[in-house]
Amino acid sequence: MKNTQKIVVIFILFVAIYSCSTKKDTVINRNYHALTTKYNVLFNGEKTFKEGIDAINEGYKDDYFEILPIEPVEFEEDKIVMPKFNNGPGAGFGGNNKNNNNANKALTPFEKSEEKAVKAIQLHKMNIDGIERNSQMDEAYLLLGKNRYYSQRFIPAIEAFNYVILNYPNASLISETKIWRAKTNVRLDNEEFAIESLKLLLQVNDTVEKNLPAEIKEKGHTALAMAYTKTDSLQKVKKHLHLATRTLNDEYQVARNLFILGQLYAFEDKKDSANVVFRRLANFKKAPYKYKIHARIEIAKNSKKDSTIVSLIADMNKLIKDRDNRPFLDELNYQVGFLHEKNDSLKQAISYYNSSLRAKNGGDKQKTYTYEKLGNIYFKQDAYQKASSYYDSVLQVTNDTLDIRIRRIKRKHKNLASLIKFEDIVTENDSIIKIASLSKEEQTQFFENYIEKIKKADEDAAQLRLNQMAFGNLNNGLNSADQGKWYFYNNQSLSFGKTEFQKIWGARKLEDNWRWAEKATIGGAAKDSAQVSKINLKYDLNTYLSAIPTEQVVIDSLVTSRNQALYELGLIYKEQFKNQNLAKQRLERVASLNPNKELILPINWHLYQIYNNLGDVQNIEKHKNVILTKYPETKFAQIILNPEIQFEEEQIEETEVEKTYKEIYYLYKEDKFQEVITKIDEVLPTIPKADLKPKFELLKAFAIGKFQDKEAYKTALEYVAVSYGNTEEGKKAKAIVIQLTK
């Protein structure tokens, strides 16, 4: 009996050893290697490959403000890996391509899967007499090529795909292999070859398709759409996305294809067709949720200004209330705000835009659009200071400074910055001039009321902070049940109160009459007294009274500065923002304030033009008479007197401006750079035509570059490049900035 068992064991071992050979073409050998390849090596390789794909699908961050790429993966063109030659085991399949130094390096799922494919080829390949006897080798080579594709090793990937196509022409996966080869050629910019090979695979002619499995047709038409994207053939991209979405085998890719198809229709302004596609996606039960929710958002985005807006707002609000949609609250609130704005409900729009900004985990790009919307609303309402703050927020959040939209916002923000600067000058100087004109008693009463007001505000703010800290500490839990119930049991509140006390009173002894000034003598009394004095200056009446200008020269300079700012504001509103009413207000006011003589002509000329545009005959005559009476020899008077002679206003201005420019340019040649800047700053506000300003701005930048540092020079040039980007001066400034950046 024992001998029989030994014989059986020896026989089994002999069969096992015999079947391990890859050089013998027997049924046992073929089946052994096929089964081992499929259910051991390739099974694990396919599993790891799927993990890599799932990680890509889950980790890839789509930019829904742009048309999505068909394949959710980014490849860096400068990191395409070329094949390496070696003669070791597994040559050509990555067997010995890794250095020993990288042996301990963590592998990606695709690298691990590739190792499995290489192992299958090295250990189980049965190429006998030029014929492959292991039926799983085509699977191994296909897996090898796919892993190389996702590792951005496209040329070695094509080698693996070509090996399958040449050596296994009748394999069941030959069609899938050809699709992968075509996709790889698209990545290598061989899209024409990819298109031809895919057409040959999918079609007999333009109308009849080959009898292929639905899954292969989906993948093939998706790959064709990818190829046509590289050729900018929008209609053909749409055609093949349509064909790729007839069936719904690959839920993830089909959902993505539908979303992109809807985006393409929206890009062509075919909103109805886009919404049909997005509704189909929204109703696709097996689609990933992120595509379904964004399809709903796109439907709202494509809405028209009609009665459907109300129902769309109600639908979006339901989505906002759904707890599952928390990751999308910034986009959903933004879209509801957009719908309210479209429906002229600006108050509601502002509320939802602010809710979008408050949403946790909101995307930076979404924030730039929300800030821009709020800025535009306030800009249209002439609330330029608020608009500027929102545009500034866009520039703080964005990382894409080269985007045309961001550059436009940056230019708008810079224009608003100069406007706000002049508005602040007007407000501040008006206040100082008004207070300076009061009697001593009125000044004293005014600042006493002001000090009482800020004292009350500071006390309320300090008490609020104490209450907040006490409340916060109570909620966090303390070591005993009694702690947190009383102020002096709360360490944070106690510490804060002590600091606030010392800021106001300094270091004081624990004794009677501690509030007397001479009592502040503990540990360096002089220093503490100085600190108390410094901090209490805002409560000191003399601090304010002593700051009021009394000399007439100083007051006159404030008046001159304010008048100049009002004039420049009038020009900015008139020329840059096309706001005739605000321009009229500022210019009329400065005209009523006895401005300097050199401003009288340009003020009246601009008001004459504004009232001409507004059709106000009475005021047209008023300002026309000033120009004709006081300045009859000027070109502006000639324009008014001879309207039938078509004077070119630009030529008139250029004649005078060119003369001024030459004078300043000669100063520049004489190395009087600071004087150049001063002169240009004086001249710029008096130039009525914005088209004539770039020359002066560029000369000013050059002057700055001559005596200031590189950063100041670069900043001045950037201003010219952004503000006057379409002019020769703007282009020249941009070219210099590029050179300075290198």
Side-chain angles (χ1 to χ4, degrees):
M1 185 68 180
K2 290 182 179 180
N3 291 333
T4 304
Q5 289 177 344
K6 287 180 180 179
I7 292 169
V8 171
V9 170
I10 292 170
F11 177 77
I12 292 171
L13 288 173
F14 175 77
V15 170
I17 294 169
Y18 181 81
S19 62
C20 286
S21 174
T22 59
K23 302 299 181 182
K24 297 184 181 296
D25 184 14
T26 65
V27 174
I28 294 176
N29 291 67
R30 289 196 300 268
N31 288 329
Y32 169 78
H33 285 288
L35 289 171
T36 305
T37 304
K38 181 174 182 179
Y39 293 109
N40 184 7
V41 188
L42 289 185
F43 175 81
N44 292 323
E46 291 286 358
K47 182 180 178 183
T48 309
F49 177 78
K50 188 176 183 303
E51 289 174 1
I53 295 296
D54 291 341
I56 286 176
N57 290 338
E58 292 173 8
Y60 186 83
K61 292 185 178 181
D62 284 305
D63 181 359
Y64 292 96
F65 289 97
E66 305 290 340
I67 295 175
L68 303 186
I70 293 173
E71 196 172 41
V73 61
E74 289 182 357
F75 292 121
E76 299 179 37
E77 292 185 5
D78 59 342
K79 290 190 178 181
I80 295 177
V81 179
M82 301 298 290
K84 297 178 181 178
F85 298 99
N86 74 79
N87 297 317
F93 309 112
N96 285 336
N97 285 348
K98 297 180 179 65
N99 296 325
N100 292 332
N101 293 336
N102 296 330
N104 296 324
K105 183 181 177 182
L107 299 177
T108 66
F110 298 116
E111 289 170 335
K112 292 178 182 178
S113 180
E114 182 179 348
E115 284 188 347
K116 297 294 183 184
V118 170
K119 182 179 178 182
I121 294 167
Q122 289 178 333
L123 298 182
H124 301 289
K125 185 177 182 181
M126 296 181 66
N127 194 322
I128 302 172
D129 297 330
I131 301 174
E132 179 57 56
R133 305 297 180 177
N134 187 343
S135 60
Q136 296 299 312
M137 277 301 100
D138 53 349
E139 295 275 3
Y141 277 100
L142 177 59
L143 180 62
L144 178 66
K146 291 193 293 186
N147 283 299
R148 287 175 170 178
Y149 175 86
Y150 282 109
S151 297
Q152 202 170 341
R153 296 162 57 224
F154 300 129
I155 295 173
I158 286 181
E159 289 177 356
F161 297 137
N162 282 337
Y163 188 88
V164 176
I165 294 168
L166 292 172
N167 292 281
Y168 309 100
N170 298 318
S172 59
L173 47 70
I174 196 71
S175 296
E176 184 180 358
T177 306
K178 289 179 179 179
I179 292 169
W180 276 100
R181 183 179 67 172
K183 285 171 58 177
T184 311
N185 274 298
V186 171
R187 294 295 182 182
L188 289 170
D189 295 328
N190 296 329
E191 56 271 8
E192 296 297 336
F193 175 78
I195 290 168
E196 291 303 317
S197 62
L198 287 169
K199 279 185 174 180
L200 190 64
L201 170 67
L202 294 171
Q203 298 176 339
V204 175
N205 54 48
D206 289 340
T207 56
V208 180
E209 285 187 309
K210 286 184 179 178
N211 187 20
L212 295 169
E215 183 180 358
I216 294 299
K217 288 182 180 180
E218 279 184 16
K219 292 180 179 179
H221 286 296
T222 300
L224 262 174
M226 279 178 60
Y228 279 120
T229 300
K230 294 288 287 284
T231 64
D232 295 325
S233 302
L234 184 61
Q235 298 307 317
K236 290 183 179 179
V237 174
K238 286 165 49 185
K239 172 187 173 183
H240 289 286
L241 286 176
H242 266 298
L243 293 171
T245 54
R246 290 175 299 178
T247 53
L248 309 173
N249 288 279
D250 185 347
E251 297 96 348
Y252 192 96
Q253 189 60 56
V254 169
R256 191 173 185 86
N257 289 347
L258 283 170
F259 191 85
I260 295 168
L261 185 59
Q263 285 184 309
L264 292 175
Y265 277 122
F267 176 75
E268 295 180 314
D269 204 29
K270 297 178 180 177
K271 301 296 178 65
D272 292 335
S273 299
N275 283 348
V276 169
V277 177
F278 286 129
R279 286 193 188 96
R280 183 185 172 198
L281 174 55
N283 296 325
F284 180 19
K285 292 183 180 179
K286 293 184 178 180
Y289 189 69
K290 65 178 181 178
Y291 293 123
K292 296 174 73 172
I293 191 74
H294 281 104
R296 304 278 290 275
I297 291 172
E298 292 294 326
I299 291 170
K301 189 185 294 184
N302 296 330
S303 63
K304 298 177 181 177
K305 189 176 179 180
D306 54 24
S307 57
T308 60
I309 286 184
V310 177
S311 62
L312 282 170
I313 290 173
D315 183 46
M316 298 299 285
N317 277 321
K318 287 180 183 177
L319 294 175
I320 290 172
K321 291 176 183 177
D322 189 342
R323 294 174 64 88
D324 293 335
N325 293 329
R326 286 183 178 181
F328 311 104
L329 283 179
D330 58 332
E331 297 169 85
L332 291 169
N333 278 295
Y334 171 83
Q335 205 53 53
V336 178
F338 172 77
L339 291 171
H340 277 298
E341 185 180 357
K342 186 177 280 191
N343 210 29
D344 297 327
S345 303
L346 294 184
K347 188 175 180 180
Q348 291 286 344
I350 291 170
S351 174
Y352 276 99
Y353 285 145
N354 284 319
S355 296
S356 174
L357 294 172
R358 289 193 298 269
K360 292 182 179 179
N361 303 320
D364 284 347
K365 190 161 187 178
Q366 176 63 71
K367 287 180 181 178
T368 67
Y369 279 92
T370 310
Y371 281 129
E372 183 184 7
K373 283 287 185 184
L374 286 165
N376 290 342
I377 288 174
Y378 287 116
F379 188 89
K380 290 175 183 176
Q381 294 176 346
D382 299 337
Y384 295 115
Q385 191 130 7
K386 275 190 174 181
S388 178
S389 65
Y390 283 112
Y391 293 142
D392 181 64
S393 297
V394 174
L395 300 177
Q396 295 298 322
V397 170
T398 187
N399 295 318
D400 191 1
T401 55
L402 298 178
D403 182 70
I404 295 175
R405 180 178 71 92
I406 300 301
R407 288 168 63 190
R408 186 184 67 245
I409 294 171
K410 187 176 182 180
R411 185 165 58 249
K412 206 170 186 179
H413 177 256
K414 280 193 173 183
N415 291 338
L416 282 171
S418 59
L419 180 146
I420 291 166
K421 180 186 77 172
F422 291 128
E423 288 285 10
D424 287 343
I425 290 172
V426 171
T427 303
E428 182 179 339
N429 288 13
D430 274 344
S431 300
I432 296 172
I433 293 166
K434 181 180 177 181
I435 292 170
S437 66
L438 298 175
S439 65
K440 290 291 183 182
E441 292 78 12
E442 290 172 327
Q443 290 174 353
T444 301
Q445 185 62 48
F446 176 85
F447 284 113
E448 283 177 347
N449 294 338
Y450 175 74
I451 290 168
E452 287 300 319
K453 185 178 178 181
I454 62 173
K455 273 185 179 178
K456 181 67 168 60
D458 288 348
E459 289 171 4
D460 291 344
Q463 186 60 50
L464 178 62
R465 288 196 296 270
L466 286 170
N467 293 342
Q468 287 173 337
M469 294 185 73
F471 179 75
N473 206 45
L474 180 63
N475 282 344
N476 290 335
L478 297 169
N479 294 329
S480 69
D482 293 333
Q483 284 181 324
K485 293 183 179 179
W486 189 36
Y487 174 87
F488 292 100
Y489 285 152
N490 189 316
N491 290 331
Q492 286 184 340
S493 299
L494 193 62
S495 175
F496 178 79
K498 183 179 179 181
T499 303
E500 287 294 307
F501 178 89
Q502 288 177 343
K503 281 184 180 179
I504 297 171
W505 300 104
R508 300 279 170 147
K509 286 184 179 180
L510 182 59
E511 60 182 3
D512 292 338
N513 302 320
W514 60 268
R515 294 178 66 181
W516 290 7
E518 63 270 16
K519 296 292 184 179
T521 57
I522 299 176
K527 181 179 177 182
D528 290 334
S529 298
Q531 184 181 8
V532 172
S533 176
K534 181 179 178 182
I535 292 172
N536 284 334
L537 283 178
K538 66 178 182 179
Y539 302 142
D540 181 25
L541 179 62
N542 289 328
T543 301
Y544 300 99
L545 293 177
S546 62
I548 300 173
T550 55
E551 296 181 9
Q552 192 59 43
V553 176
V554 177
I555 296 172
D556 289 344
S557 69
L558 290 171
V559 171
T560 301
S561 175
R562 178 200 59 191
N563 292 350
Q564 185 68 32
L566 282 168
Y567 172 73
E568 291 181 2
L569 283 170
L571 286 189
I572 292 172
Y573 286 127
K574 175 176 176 279
E575 300 292 340
Q576 294 182 14
F577 299 124
K578 310 301 179 185
N579 191 323
Q580 302 294 313
N581 287 325
L582 285 178
K584 177 185 68 176
Q585 290 174 18
R586 300 301 185 271
L587 291 171
E588 284 286 13
R589 187 181 172 209
V590 71
S592 67
L593 294 172
N594 298 319
N596 292 339
K597 290 182 179 180
E598 61 268 18
L599 289 180
I600 295 174
L601 174 59
I603 288 171
N604 281 278
W605 172 247
H606 288 301
L607 284 170
Y608 171 78
Q609 288 183 310
I610 290 169
Y611 285 119
N612 239 335
N613 294 332
L614 297 175
D616 187 336
V617 178
Q618 183 177 350
N619 280 301
I620 291 172
E621 291 298 319
K622 172 185 172 183
H623 295 288
K624 180 174 75 173
N625 290 335
V626 172
I627 295 170
L628 295 178
T629 304
K630 294 185 177 181
Y631 308 96
E633 302 300 323
T634 62
K635 299 290 184 182
F636 302 107
Q638 292 180 38
I639 294 173
I640 295 171
L641 291 172
N642 302 289
E644 68 282 355
I645 301 174
Q646 296 184 355
F647 286 96
E648 289 292 336
E649 188 178 334
E650 290 184 14
Q651 292 177 1
I652 295 167
E653 290 164 352
E654 281 182 289
T655 303
E656 298 177 1
V657 171
E658 281 179 1
K659 182 180 177 183
T660 306
Y661 180 82
K662 287 178 182 178
E663 292 173 357
I664 297 174
Y665 183 73
Y666 288 138
L667 292 174
Y668 176 82
K669 296 296 284 184
E670 293 170 4
D671 296 339
K672 298 178 180 178
F673 304 121
Q674 288 182 314
E675 191 175 346
V676 167
I677 294 170
T678 304
K679 289 283 185 184
I680 290 175
D681 286 338
E682 291 174 359
V683 169
L684 278 175
T686 64
I687 301 175
K689 265 294 197 181
D691 296 345
L692 302 173
K693 294 183 178 181
K695 284 182 178 294
F696 287 90
E697 292 285 9
L698 185 59
L699 183 60
K700 179 181 175 182
F702 288 157
I704 289 171
K706 290 294 184 179
F707 75 97
Q708 294 188 27
D709 58 22
K710 181 180 176 181
E711 283 304 314
Y713 181 39
K714 186 178 174 184
T715 301
L717 287 170
E718 284 176 344
Y719 174 76
V720 179
V722 172
S723 301
Y724 309 102
N726 295 326
T727 65
E728 289 298 322
E729 290 78 10
K731 293 173 183 176
K732 187 173 182 179
K734 184 177 180 182
I736 298 172
V737 169
I738 293 171
Q739 289 296 323
L740 290 173
T741 307
K742 289 182 179 179

